[in-house]
Amino acid sequence: MSNIIYIDDEKYPKLLKQIGKEAPKQLYFKTNTLKTNIFDNCLTVVGSRKLTSYGKQAMEELVGKIALAGITIVSGFMYGGDAVAHQAAIKAGGRTIAVMPCGIDRISPEYQKELYQEILDNNGLIMSEYKGNMAPTLWTYPQRNRIAAGLSKALLVVEAGKKSGCLITANYAKKFKRKVFAVPGPITSSITKGSNALIREGAEMVLSAKDVLKYYRSDLALRKTNFFESLSPSQQAGEHAQTSRFKNLPSKLRALNKNPKNIEEQIIDLLKREPLGADELSRQLEMPVSELGVKLSILEMHEIIKLRGNKYGIN
Amino acid sequence: MALTKIPSVLYFGLETLPVDVEVNVASRGLPGFEIVGLPGKAIAESRERVKAAIVNSGMEFPSRKITVNLAPADIPKEGSFYDLPVAIGILSATTDFPIPEKSLFFGELSFDGTLRHTKGAFLLALFAKEFGFKNIFLPKDSVNEATIFPSINIYPVERLSQLLAHLFNRQKIVKAKRREIDDLGLGSSEFDMREVLGQEQAKRAMEIAAAGGHNAIMIGSPGSGKTMLARALPSILPPLSDQESLEATKIYSASGNIPPGASMIKIRSFRSPHHSTSLAGLIGGGTNPQPGEISLAHRGVLFLDEFNEFPRSVLESLRQPLEDGVVNISRAKASIKYPARFMLIASANPCPCGYLGHPKKECTCTPREIKKYVKKISGPILDRIDLHIKVPIVDVDELSQNKRTAKFLESSESIRKRVCQAREIQQKRFQSKAICSNAEMRNKDIKRYCSLSKEVEKILNQAAISFNLSARSYFKMIKIARTIADLEGFAEINPAHMAEALQYRQ
């Protein structure tokens, strides 16, 4: 189902209209269930195409919680950061809007067909200012960023290089007087140079989903929708999940463990600090990798830790 | 006597057939020298070598019409070893010396009358044993290859004139003694496992692979040490058993890969063909099908570095041999079966640029490129690889300074001890079977030899759900767990073995 909204339509997103001359004259969109309140509480999330495992982890955690609170996640359907943002929102049961850099009938990049379908199936929205089967070009990407920035009252940047599309979006957001949030990254990584610079320039640093949700709270309170209270149990659950899951470890696992200090706890402590590979863990715990592998498999099987690339991290 | 008949042999892959070399020196007709009986190029050229060798040994080459027939006449023949029987046949026809009963003559002649190292001596000895021959005359350099049965007299021949002196009973050639097989090259691998810093998990995986004969694939960025790990692998491999040694030597002898003076192959071969290798080069082929790299790696290691760079057709051709341990090569002239029971060790980069997941360098590949790259290796091939190993980048400077890591550096020798013990257990287990290692177990063998306790089964079933294991992976995990249990000397697979095995899943 494809549709058009014109700028003077009532359904036209209000925030987007506010950007004045730069607001697109018409918007094409695809959706299974059109609910205009999808535009009410939007957060645009952008991240590098080459998200690091840290960036991915941070984004999954933040976006998951934010989407759970009922905030629509807007992103640009690019691979990497954008795709992760969409996926995290869908996984949390939230809604997401994909702003395409190409004609509304085209899926670009086309190998993300599955994600495209998932967005539609989960009450999401696909949107573009271009009609038909137009191919994306170099200049349509920044134009798309303009709409993405305009749709939301805030922008969350997870990882952005020094000269990146994410910074273009951030510049639009500043221009439209939107709030900019940025996730801090290691100062040594080239992929977080841009997002760290944003923080120095005044973007709000995000250390947890709460930092973003606080900003939306005043608005939500007005609507008398108590998002926060409905959120807190699950959030609490999230925070305590690791320890409680750990307590639920089968007793035979404990029996396997001859060391009274409990290797599993030591592994978890180390991984809470930073993700590590099996070799590094074996060195730090001074434990042969054959024994360590046993623990890792079982912790992974109970979804307490997770292998990302070559390294284990807390799930 | 103008007609002599000398028994000889015909090679057909690893099989041998008896052949008669019939030499007729006619008293009438124009002088000439002809070989019939579908001789190959090397045999047709043998005329020149035989003529020159006889003349240069101080004998007279008869200027009469000489015809040599290699019977049966309808099977094509190859090889340079017919030089000696042809020369003996001609000389016997003209000078009338008796040819000893039940004797085989074998070897390529040089123009000066000396004999050169000739391929196939090992197969010849097996043939002699099978057909009840008593004496073999063959080049000195090839003697060690043939001295395997004490019941056969092996005569090392240096030159044609020496052989004639022996046949005329003037000066006897001393029979070769059976040499004790020396452990040549054992443990003298390029690298010792101790030299590989870090990579504890990958090294453990190599140990498991060596112990159970499992196939393995290593994935890691350039410079992470994949190639070094693979090259250190021979240092922890167990020696070949007698049966395995026999099989491997047959292939090496048939393809002429046994160096002069060498005897049976006692160490496992390590073949690492370049990724430009053709299908025929890897699998075997040619008009007269020759064994390929996979057969030369029989009972040893086939190391395919840069696995993704091999043409897809070449990789796909590995499927059937990986499953069956033999390869059938059919060509217009012949269809030949070569054994190919090898351990496949593959190494690959995680993405086209190689730096996906690298701690310092940035990967410049798009997800699409990575997908395409990964897809180059098909599912059926990955399915046949038991151990999947991730090889991370190692900070060598840091490791070499860290004293704690030294504690974990185990020498190849001590790893090898464990590997050998595990192999012994397997040999006992599969005594009545045609297989030698855990990796060769089929599903029904797994059911028979790897009984799982309820506890172990529970772990495996849970893993199957949380890690989404396929049916084939499920059985692979049992095989690996069996090998880990063998390494630790356990008769039963316990939960820890299974949990460790899960580390190496796909």
Side-chain angles (χ1 to χ4, degrees):
Chain A
M1 191 180 98
S2 168
N3 269 308
I4 317 175
I5 325 181
Y6 293 100
I7 192 155
D8 23 322
D9 246 321
E10 224 173 87
K11 288 178 185 168
Y12 194 87
K14 288 182 188 68
L15 274 174
L16 191 59
K17 205 169 178 175
Q18 281 170 18
I19 67 176
K21 261 199 269 176
E22 290 189 72
K25 296 250 165 2
Q26 73 282 323
L27 285 173
Y28 299 89
F29 61 90
K30 277 191 182 178
T31 177
N32 290 348
T33 49
L34 178 63
K35 285 184 185 146
T36 40
N37 72 359
I38 195 171
F39 301 121
D40 286 356
N41 269 304
C42 292
L43 171 72
T44 302
V45 179
V46 290
S48 168
R49 292 180 184 188
K50 283 163 202 141
L51 220 54
T52 63
S53 62
Y54 158 73
K56 195 175 172 205
Q57 206 181 341
M59 192 182 261
E60 279 172 349
E61 178 167 335
L62 294 173
V63 171
K65 284 181 184 165
I66 294 167
L68 195 68
I71 289 164
T72 309
I73 303 297
V74 178
S75 198
F77 200 67
M78 197 13 105
Y79 59 81
D82 291 2
V84 172
H86 290 306
Q87 276 156 354
I90 294 168
K91 204 176 162 195
R95 290 185 296 185
T96 179
I97 298 176
V99 188
M100 307 295 281
C102 54
I104 188 70
D105 294 333
R106 180 184 278 266
I107 302 178
S108 164
E110 61 178 329
Y111 52 85
Q112 295 194 142
K113 258 183 212 153
E114 275 172 36
L115 178 61
Y116 191 92
Q117 199 51 49
E118 267 176 40
I119 293 175
L120 288 176
D121 290 347
N122 289 282
N123 299 320
L125 191 75
I126 307 279
M127 168 191 284
S128 172
E129 63 172 316
Y130 310 109
K131 65 173 176 183
N133 200 23
M134 189 183 128
T137 59
L138 274 181
W139 58 269
T140 58
Y141 289 102
Q143 289 301 312
R144 180 267 318 268
N145 293 350
R146 163 191 121 236
I147 303 176
L151 271 176
S152 309
K153 43 193 274 194
L155 168 73
L156 173 63
V157 182
V158 176
E159 277 184 315
K162 237 178 172 178
K163 276 186 181 177
S164 61
C166 300
L167 287 193
I168 297 179
T169 313
N171 282 335
Y172 275 119
K174 277 189 238 166
K175 195 170 157 190
F176 302 153
K177 307 225 160 26
R178 308 290 194 241
K179 178 88 179 161
V180 178
F181 293 98
V183 176
I187 56 167
T188 47
S189 161
S190 65
I191 223 163
T192 50
K193 286 243 158 75
S195 41
N196 282 348
L198 281 175
I199 294 175
R200 192 178 52 198
E201 287 160 17
E204 190 169 330
M205 190 188 318
V206 177
L207 300 179
S208 78
K210 269 185 198 160
D211 296 339
V212 179
L213 289 172
K214 238 186 259 165
Y215 179 74
Y216 281 81
R217 185 165 61 171
S218 50
D219 208 37
L220 297 176
L222 279 179
R223 273 160 219 281
K224 290 179 187 165
T225 340
N226 207 340
F227 275 108
F228 253 108
E229 265 166 37
S230 65
L231 166 71
S232 42
S234 58
Q235 232 187 357
Q236 275 172 4
E239 274 162 20
H240 294 290
Q242 277 146 18
T243 39
S244 64
R245 247 184 295 177
F246 185 62
K247 270 177 198 153
N248 289 340
L249 264 182
S251 53
K252 62 170 187 261
L253 255 184
R254 303 201 156 224
L256 255 180
N257 190 2
K258 286 160 207 150
N259 195 333
K261 263 177 143 187
N262 200 329
I263 301 284
E264 281 90 346
E265 266 163 23
Q266 288 181 33
I267 293 174
I268 291 169
D269 283 347
L270 280 173
L271 293 182
K272 269 185 187 161
R273 245 181 274 156
E274 59 172 334
L276 291 171
D279 296 340
E280 287 154 324
L281 275 172
S282 118
R283 260 171 255 145
Q284 295 205 8
L285 293 169
E286 297 191 38
M287 184 181 189
V289 76
S290 52
E291 279 172 47
L292 179 71
V294 177
K295 313 284 180 205
L296 289 176
S297 291
I298 292 192
L299 286 173
E300 204 182 347
M301 229 153 62
H302 288 87
E303 290 174 13
I304 295 166
I305 61 170
K306 195 177 173 192
L307 188 63
R308 291 183 185 88
N310 290 337
K311 289 182 173 171
Y312 287 96
I314 295 292
N315 197 4
Chain B
M1 196 167 75
L3 174 70
T4 46
K5 210 189 234 182
I6 296 179
S8 189
V9 68
L10 158 74
Y11 293 130
F12 188 76
L14 300 184
E15 284 162 46
T16 43
L17 291 172
V19 161
D20 282 328
V21 179
E22 299 171 338
V23 183
N24 186 48
V25 181
S27 43
R28 285 165 174 245
L30 285 170
F33 186 6
E34 204 67 53
I35 300 179
V36 298
L38 297 185
K41 189 81 177 147
I43 303 174
E45 285 173 352
S46 148
R47 290 178 300 183
E48 303 304 325
R49 287 193 296 274
V50 169
K51 200 169 180 177
I54 289 178
V55 173
N56 289 332
S57 299
M59 320 278 286
E60 198 192 330
F61 189 81
S63 54
R64 287 152 76 180
K65 181 164 177 61
I66 302 166
T67 322
V68 177
N69 179 31
L70 305 175
D74 60 345
I75 306 174
K77 289 148 201 94
E78 285 294 332
S80 56
F81 59 87
Y82 292 108
D83 289 3
L84 192 61
V86 169
I88 292 297
I90 292 171
L91 291 173
S92 161
T94 50
T95 52
D96 220 17
F97 59 79
I99 291 167
E101 285 269 297
K102 294 263 170 214
S103 298
L104 286 168
F105 297 88
F106 177 91
E108 177 186 323
L109 280 170
S110 194
F111 272 14
D112 61 2
T114 53
L115 275 100
R116 303 172 58 90
H117 175 58
T118 315
K119 69 177 182 187
F122 182 75
L123 291 177
L124 182 78
L126 295 177
F127 167 79
K129 174 88 179 158
E130 190 186 342
F131 285 86
F133 286 95
K134 285 271 168 288
N135 311 305
I136 302 178
F137 296 88
L138 81 176
K140 203 178 143 215
D141 282 342
S142 312
V143 156
N144 288 344
E145 220 179 301
T147 46
I148 40 171
F149 301 113
S151 59
I152 299 171
N153 302 321
I154 306 283
Y155 294 95
V157 184
E158 215 166 328
R159 48 182 61 250
L160 188 58
S161 51
Q162 183 197 8
L163 178 57
L164 288 175
H166 175 87
L167 295 176
F168 276 117
N169 275 326
R170 265 184 257 140
Q171 191 178 4
K172 287 281 180 192
I173 299 175
V174 184
K175 275 188 276 182
K177 278 197 197 107
R178 193 182 168 173
R179 265 199 359 182
E180 274 310 304
I181 293 147
D182 37 352
D183 274 1
L184 199 83
L186 262 195
S188 67
S189 153
E190 236 178 303
F191 296 109
D192 193 284
M193 279 291 175
R194 201 198 304 235
E195 292 172 62
V196 184
L197 291 177
Q199 305 299 12
E200 288 82 359
Q201 196 171 36
K203 279 200 254 182
R204 171 71 176 169
M206 284 290 141
E207 178 183 336
I208 297 169
H214 299 286
N215 299 326
I217 183 166
M218 294 184 280
I219 297 173
S221 294
S224 53
K226 304 182 293 284
T227 311
M228 190 174 177
L229 272 164
R231 298 217 175 265
L233 176 64
S235 66
I236 59 166
L237 286 175
L240 288 166
S241 71
D242 290 346
Q243 177 60 30
E244 288 172 330
S245 164
L246 190 89
E247 291 171 19
T249 313
K250 263 167 114 172
I251 300 168
Y252 269 69
S253 176
S255 57
N257 275 309
I258 296 185
S263 179
M264 283 181 72
I265 308 258
K266 271 284 158 192
I267 55 167
R268 289 176 195 271
S269 53
F270 182 86
R271 309 287 304 186
S272 57
H274 185 248
H275 59 71
S276 61
T277 306
S278 70
L279 203 145
L282 193 68
I283 301 301
T287 339
N288 294 299
Q290 290 292 307
E293 290 290 339
I294 58 165
S295 296
L296 294 173
H298 181 62
R299 299 290 176 201
V301 177
L302 179 70
F303 174 46
L304 299 182
D305 207 353
E306 308 298 349
F307 201 49
N308 298 59
E309 302 301 328
F310 280 82
R312 198 181 163 119
S313 59
V314 173
L315 290 185
E316 293 309 305
S317 64
L318 286 173
R319 279 198 217 176
Q320 185 247 336
L322 274 174
E323 194 80 348
D324 304 337
V326 289
V327 61
N328 266 310
I329 306 159
S330 289
R331 294 292 185 270
K333 275 192 180 171
S335 170
I336 289 178
K337 195 182 196 177
Y338 284 113
R341 177 71 67 193
F342 56 91
M343 223 171 114
L344 173 68
I345 304 291
S347 87
N349 286 332
C351 67
C353 83
Y355 294 111
L356 185 70
H358 193 284
K360 282 178 190 142
K361 280 186 188 148
E362 218 176 292
C363 168
T364 55
C365 311
T366 63
R368 175 187 224 142
E369 283 169 345
I370 295 171
K371 223 174 182 177
K372 205 174 145 199
Y373 188 75
V374 172
K375 265 194 175 169
K376 275 188 90 174
I377 308 174
S378 74
I381 290 287
L382 284 179
D383 247 0
R384 287 165 171 80
I385 298 178
D386 294 347
L387 295 154
H388 290 248
I389 313 160
K390 293 193 176 69
V391 186
I393 285 282
V394 174
D395 193 338
V396 178
D397 290 341
E398 191 202 303
L399 279 182
S400 51
Q401 281 157 18
N402 192 340
K403 280 190 188 127
R404 264 197 305 191
T405 57
K407 214 172 112 184
F408 289 112
L409 288 178
E410 208 179 356
S411 72
S412 288
E413 214 183 302
S414 74
I415 300 175
R416 191 153 174 254
K417 250 181 223 152
R418 284 199 300 271
V419 170
C420 290
Q421 273 165 10
R423 282 275 173 139
E424 266 166 42
I425 296 174
Q426 290 168 51
Q427 246 162 32
K428 265 185 214 143
R429 175 180 307 139
F430 302 126
Q431 240 168 11
S432 56
K433 287 273 194 170
I435 55 178
C436 313
S437 64
N438 289 337
E440 293 169 55
M441 283 191 287
R442 300 285 179 104
N443 288 358
K444 74 167 186 268
D445 302 319
I446 292 175
K447 280 193 188 116
R448 190 171 153 198
Y449 297 109
C450 311
S451 57
L452 299 180
S453 67
K454 278 225 174 79
E455 221 176 319
V456 176
E457 205 163 341
K458 204 170 147 199
I459 289 186
L460 186 57
N461 287 337
Q462 195 178 351
I465 297 164
S466 31
F467 300 145
N468 210 356
L469 297 182
S470 68
R472 211 191 271 256
S473 299
Y474 188 91
F475 285 109
K476 282 198 287 197
M477 289 303 127
I478 303 179
K479 282 201 265 186
I480 299 171
R482 180 67 265 170
T483 303
I484 295 173
D486 288 343
L487 273 170
E488 325 250 295
F490 279 81
E492 292 281 322
I493 299 172
N494 72 32
H497 301 145
M498 184 52 79
E500 199 197 338
L502 288 167
Q503 286 285 299
Y504 306 106
R505 67 184 186 271
Q506 202 164 321

